[in-house]
């Protein structure tokens, strides 16, 4: 029969999976808003920050209220780091602003879709430890699309100014950080299975 600590750890795992879902939705909405009208939405990123802080608080309470063994301490510390990383990922949605020239939009749309897929695959890893995941494939697709956009920005025959090229490169980098953070969380989770839902 699971202990109270184990039950609370499972609850924390579910909250982290919910946070991942919120972060993916925030980034997806921000990507769509960027491509449609050049602005982004911040409400879901704020909600992600609030849930991330609640997860960190819950993890700290687990350490304070229980006397966990070493492996359990590692799981709780991993949960704290995961909550902080997911909160940062949610904050990246607010950075999706800038000018997106028409001929860069298809690649940026693909980049956004792959980044969101990476977050959704991370959610599967958090919610279903040991489940097969396509996270690595999604991250590889993000890296490929990011390279494509950097090559586009480096082209000399673009009718757009340097400012638009810089905006596109910066937007590509935000997507890359988002996916790289998801991959880092997955490595941490897979390393010692910190939480099992």
């Amino acid at each position: 029969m699971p202990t109270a600590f184990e039950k609370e750890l499972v609850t924390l795992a579910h909250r982290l999976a919910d946070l991942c879902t919120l972060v993916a939705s925030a980034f997806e909405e921000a990507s769509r808003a960027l491509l449609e009208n050049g602005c982004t939405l911040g409400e879901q990123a704020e909600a992600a920050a609030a849930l991330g802080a609640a997860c960190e608080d819950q993890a700290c309470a687990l350490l304070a209220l229980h006397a966990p063994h070493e492996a359990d301490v590692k799981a709780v510390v991993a949960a704290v780091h995961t909550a902080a990383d997911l909160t940062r990922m949610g904050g990246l949605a607010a950075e999706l602003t800038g000018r997106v020239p028409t001929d860069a939009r298809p690649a940026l749309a693909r980049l956004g879709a792959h980044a969101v897929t990476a977050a959704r695959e991370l959610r599967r890893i958090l919610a279903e430890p040991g489940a097969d995941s396509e996270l690595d494939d999604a991250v590889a697709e993000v890296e490929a699309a990011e390279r494509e956009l950097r090559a586009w920005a480096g082209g000399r025959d673009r009718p757009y100014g340097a400012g638009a090229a810089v905006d596109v490169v910066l937007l590509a980098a935000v997507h890359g950080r988002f996916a790289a953070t998801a991959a880092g969380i997955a490595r941490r989770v897979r390393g010692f299975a910190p939480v099992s839902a």
Side-chain angles (χ1 to χ4, degrees):
M1 179 170 212
T3 65
F5 177 85
E6 291 168 337
K7 288 178 182 176
E8 288 182 48
L9 199 56
V10 168
T11 299
L12 179 57
H14 286 293
R15 289 182 87 183
L16 289 171
D18 291 344
L19 176 56
C20 198
T21 299
L22 188 58
V23 164
S25 296
F27 203 82
E28 184 175 42
E29 253 184 61
S31 294
R32 188 179 314 114
L34 172 70
L35 293 171
E36 290 174 1
N37 57 22
C39 68
T40 188
L41 308 170
E43 293 171 7
Q44 287 193 332
E46 290 175 15
L51 183 54
C55 288
E56 289 182 48
D57 289 346
Q58 182 181 359
C60 290
L62 275 172
L63 289 176
L65 298 174
H66 301 276
H69 298 290
E70 181 183 350
D72 294 333
V73 170
K74 287 181 179 180
V76 174
V77 170
V80 170
H81 287 296
T82 298
D85 287 347
L86 286 169
T87 301
R88 277 193 290 281
M89 286 172 68
L92 288 173
E95 295 185 28
L96 296 182
T97 61
R99 294 170 287 177
V100 183
T102 306
D103 55 344
R105 287 178 185 221
L108 196 58
R110 282 195 311 280
L111 184 56
H114 294 311
V116 169
T117 298
R120 290 197 170 124
E121 289 298 312
L122 174 60
R123 189 229 176 270
R124 272 187 73 202
I125 291 169
L126 290 169
E128 306 167 31
D132 289 336
S133 170
E134 296 178 9
L135 175 66
D136 294 336
D137 293 339
V139 171
E141 293 289 347
V142 167
E143 291 168 353
E146 188 177 356
R147 284 191 301 274
E148 181 183 342
L149 283 168
R150 287 180 185 277
W152 174 91
R156 296 177 187 253
D157 58 344
R158 300 283 174 222
Y160 309 102
V166 168
D167 281 350
V168 167
V169 169
L170 291 174
L171 288 167
V174 169
H175 286 76
R177 281 198 318 269
F178 185 86
T181 303
I185 293 169
R187 279 191 300 276
R188 182 185 311 124
V189 171
R190 289 174 178 151
F192 56 87
V195 287
S196 60

